[in-house]
Amino acid sequence: MTLELTPGTTCVANGRVIQIDGADSLTHMRVRDVATGAVSSVAIARIEALPKTAAASSFEGIPAAEWKRCCDLAKDLTPLNSRTTVARSELEKLAKRHGISVRQLQRARATFRKDPRASALARSPGGRPLGLNQLDPEVDALIKHVIAKHYLRRERPSKEYVVVRARSLARRLKLKPPSRSAVLTRIAREDGYQADRARLGCKAAKQRWEARTGKLEAERPLDLLEIDHTPADVLVLSDDRLTVIGRPWVTVAIDVATRCVMGMWRSRAA
C-alpha cells in the first residue's frame, strides 16, 4: 500500500502514533508524537500506515477541539507516569493550566497511566443519549394510538385534549399515565407534512411544506407594480411633545421591471 508522507498525515513509527510535520532530510521525516506532542526525526523506512482499527479507536468520533485538549493534557501527563507521587502544588498548577479541578486531573492521570494514549483522555458527552426512549412500550404505543385517532384529524383538537385522552385511556387500561411532556414530545415528532395534511388539508400542507415555484416577470417599466406596507421606525409625538401617538405606516409602490420606487405614502400613526 502506498503511504503519502504529507504534512498532517497520521502514521505509526516505532510503535507510536505520529503525525508528519515535514521532511527533515532525504531519509528522515520530522514527526510529532500524537500522545505527547514531542517532535523528533524518524527514518522514513520505519514509518508505517496506521491500521484501520487503531485509527477508528483513536480518532473517529472525537471533535477537533476535544482531540487538541487530549493531546495537550497527554503531553503534560507523560512525564508523571514514571513518578509514584506528585506534589499537591504541582497538581494544582497543572490543573489550573488545563482549566480542571485537581480531582479531575488525578482521575485523568490514573486513566493515562493504565492506557498512555491521548484518545484515552477523551470525554464522553454527558446526559441522556438523544432519542433514548425510557417510556413503557405499551404506554408509548398508547400515545401513538391516541395521536393518530384524536390529533391527526380535520377537527384539529388541541394538544392539551390529546394529553387528557392519553392519560385517561392509560388509567382505564391500568397503565401508568404518561406525563404531559411525554405526550407533547411525541406530538412534536409527528409535526410535518403528513400531520398538516391530516389536520389542515392537502392544499394548506403544500403551502407550508412544499417549495413554491415561479416568479414575477415584467418586460417593460410600469407593466407591473408591487405595493408593500411597513410601520416606519419612528415615533410620532403629539403637539405637546409628551404624548406618543404611535408609529406611522409607510406604503411603497415599486416597479417590478426597474425596481424603482414609483410612489410613497405615509399614513397617520396607529
Side-chain angles (χ1 to χ4, degrees):
M1 181 179 64
T2 304
L3 177 62
E4 295 185 6
L5 301 180
T6 55
T9 303
T10 304
C11 313
V12 175
N14 301 323
R16 305 288 295 180
V17 180
I18 60 171
Q19 277 189 335
I20 304 296
D21 273 3
D24 203 28
S25 66
L26 293 177
T27 58
H28 287 69
M29 298 295 294
R30 187 174 63 257
V31 302
R32 184 182 302 274
D33 192 301
V34 171
T36 64
V39 178
S40 60
S41 182
V42 176
I44 296 178
R46 292 185 173 273
I47 300 178
E48 301 175 354
L50 187 69
K52 291 184 178 180
T53 54
S57 62
S58 299
F59 304 105
E60 288 184 0
I62 303 179
E66 177 66 9
W67 180 248
K68 182 179 183 304
R69 187 197 70 85
C70 294
C71 291
D72 293 341
L73 184 57
K75 182 178 179 181
D76 288 337
L77 290 177
T78 299
L80 305 182
N81 276 359
S82 58
R83 298 164 57 180
T84 55
T85 60
V86 182
R88 177 81 180 184
S89 58
E90 188 175 352
L91 291 176
E92 290 176 349
K93 182 179 179 181
L94 192 58
K96 185 177 181 180
R97 181 188 306 172
H98 291 280
I100 58 179
S101 66
V102 175
R103 181 59 183 158
Q104 288 174 317
L105 179 64
Q106 290 173 332
R107 287 198 296 265
R109 182 180 173 229
T111 301
F112 192 67
R113 292 188 70 178
K114 294 179 181 178
D115 185 4
R117 298 181 302 161
S119 59
L121 300 173
R123 298 171 296 190
S124 58
R128 182 182 300 176
L130 185 63
L132 178 65
N133 186 4
Q134 293 183 318
L135 201 62
D136 185 288
E138 293 185 3
V139 178
D140 193 27
L142 179 147
I143 296 175
K144 292 180 180 178
H145 166 75
V146 173
I147 291 175
K149 183 177 181 180
H150 298 284
Y151 183 73
L152 302 179
R153 302 180 60 179
R154 292 300 294 268
E155 289 78 11
R156 287 183 286 171
S158 67
K159 296 179 180 180
E160 293 300 329
Y161 175 81
V162 179
V163 172
V164 173
R165 293 287 301 187
R167 292 175 62 86
S168 176
L169 182 58
R171 292 191 190 96
R172 283 194 323 194
L173 297 177
K174 309 228 181 280
L175 298 174
K176 182 179 178 181
S179 65
R180 178 176 179 271
S181 61
V183 179
L184 294 180
T185 297
R186 283 151 183 81
I187 291 177
R189 292 175 186 171
E190 295 291 337
D191 282 343
Y193 173 79
Q194 294 298 335
D196 281 351
R197 181 174 180 176
R199 287 171 59 84
L200 305 175
C202 183
K203 182 178 180 181
K206 287 183 177 180
Q207 285 286 329
R208 181 178 180 185
W209 295 100
E210 292 187 358
R212 302 179 189 179
T213 59
K215 60 181 179 179
L216 291 175
E217 294 184 357
E219 296 181 358
R220 296 185 300 274
L222 299 180
D223 272 357
L224 183 63
L225 295 180
E226 283 186 316
I227 298 178
D228 197 7
H229 314 271
T230 183
D233 195 17
V234 294
L235 292 175
V236 177
L237 301 179
S238 62
D239 293 337
D240 59 11
R241 305 286 182 171
L242 297 175
T243 305
V244 177
I245 299 177
R247 297 171 61 183
W249 282 82
V250 177
T251 300
V252 180
I254 302 175
D255 180 59
V256 174
T258 62
R259 308 309 300 170
C260 292
V261 176
M262 306 305 297
M264 181 184 298
W265 171 260
R266 178 186 60 81
S267 66
R268 58 182 300 178

